[in-house]
Amino acid sequence: DAKTTQPPSMDCAEGRAANLPCNHSTISGNEYVYWYRQIHSQGPQYIIHGLKNNETNEMASLIITEDRKSSTLILPHATLRDTAVYYCIVRGGTNAGKSTFGDGTTLTVKP
Amino acid sequence: GAVVSQHPSWVICKSGTSVKIECRSLDFQATTMFWYRQFPKQSLMLMATSNEGSKATYEQGVEKDKFLINHASLTLSTLTVTSAHPEDSSFYICSARRGGGPAGNTIYFGEGSWLTVV
């Protein structure tokens, strides 16, 4: 699996959009970008995934650059409950299923 | 949506004893499950890949005789920490892969199990 690089921490004001970047410059053609988040003492929660097109669901939007070397997770209206560690993972191909977690970004949503 | 359940959620055991953690896929069959370990303030580290009906594949540095993995059915994988020591205290998380192609969200994580060895 390709490695990912994320900023270690970010702050966001409650109600504002949170934009979390991720670099995955070594991503291969058959790998998807996945985002998970982990709230303290819980297992990772799936947020969204994409291959090359931008994606949106009820939780977030995912913007993937045209060269697929980076992506941004957007939480449109962050709430205090969105405070968590966010992990960007690339996965697919013959190792599909095996997830290599980087250090993630600790997002703190402040009132 | 798909659910993966772990049991127990937390366990305390004495040093030298063995403890078993279960990972179940509740509404789908999982031919492959994965076990992770997470120490406080660290990221998840993959320990092993559990394959139904065959031996698990362990990551480098993980002792297979200490962390026994059994995947006896399509909905259950177990991790047994043998002769546990305080340094084995950690948060253990499993994930299960729902059958299908390599793409898409086919991976679901359990809630995790806290192990404390005293």
Side-chain angles (χ1 to χ4, degrees), chain A residues 11-90:
Chain A
D11 290 344
C12 177
E14 187 178 19
R16 304 297 293 268
N19 299 304
L20 291 88
C22 179
N23 287 322
H24 32 79
S25 58
T26 59
I27 190 171
S28 59
N30 62 352
E31 289 182 317
Y32 281 62
V33 180
Y34 289 80
W35 283 83
Y36 291 86
R37 72 180 182 184
Q38 187 178 30
I39 296 171
H40 183 61
S41 300
Q42 297 181 25
Q45 176 191 21
Y46 166 79
I47 301 173
I48 199 168
H49 75 281
L51 182 63
K52 55 182 178 181
N53 297 322
N54 298 337
E55 302 288 342
T56 296
N57 63 20
E58 65 277 6
M59 290 183 68
S61 294
L62 174 60
I63 308 298
I64 302 174
T65 58
E66 193 170 342
D67 62 7
R68 301 208 325 124
K69 293 184 177 183
S70 65
S71 61
T72 300
L73 177 74
I74 301 173
L75 306 178
H77 305 287
T79 70
L80 299 179
R81 289 180 294 179
D82 291 323
T83 293
V85 179
Y86 288 77
Y87 294 101
C88 165
I89 296 168
V90 291

Side-chain angles (χ1 to χ4, degrees), chain A residues 30 32 34 36 38 40-46 49 87 89 91-93 95-104, chain B residues 32 34 36 38 42-46 49 59 91 93 95 97 101-112 114:
Chain A
N30 62 352
Y32 281 62
Y34 289 80
Y36 291 86
Q38 187 178 30
H40 183 61
S41 300
Q42 297 181 25
Q45 176 191 21
Y46 166 79
H49 75 281
Y87 294 101
I89 296 168
R91 188 171 72 215
N95 285 326
K98 181 187 290 190
S99 300
T100 301
F101 285 82
D103 293 331
Chain B
T32 307
F34 303 88
Y36 298 82
Q38 185 177 32
Q42 295 187 22
S43 187
L44 285 77
M45 283 182 40
L46 179 66
T49 301
E59 295 298 302
F91 191 47
I93 304 166
S95 68
R97 177 183 167 189
N105 182 38
T106 57
I107 303 298
Y108 301 90
F109 286 86
E111 316 98 320
W114 281 101

Side-chain angles (χ1 to χ4, degrees), chain B residues 5 13 19 22-23 30-31 39-40 64-67 82 88 100 118:
Chain B
S5 178
C13 72
V19 61
E22 295 184 345
C23 177
T31 56
F39 293 109
K64 60 181 180 181
D65 294 331
K66 179 168 182 63
F67 299 99
T82 63
D88 297 323
V118 298

Side-chain angles (χ1 to χ4, degrees), chain B residues 34-85:
Chain B
F34 303 88
W35 286 96
Y36 298 82
R37 180 168 54 181
Q38 185 177 32
F39 293 109
K41 298 188 177 182
Q42 295 187 22
S43 187
L44 285 77
M45 283 182 40
L46 179 66
M47 299 175 65
T49 301
S50 172
N51 303 297
E52 189 269 336
S54 64
K55 292 182 179 180
T57 304
Y58 290 82
E59 295 298 302
Q60 191 172 9
V62 178
E63 300 175 60
K64 60 181 180 181
D65 294 331
K66 179 168 182 63
F67 299 99
L68 301 180
I69 291 173
N70 184 280
H71 195 154
S73 78
L74 287 171
T75 59
L76 174 64
S77 175
T78 60
L79 169 68
T80 301
V81 182
T82 63
S83 187
H85 288 95

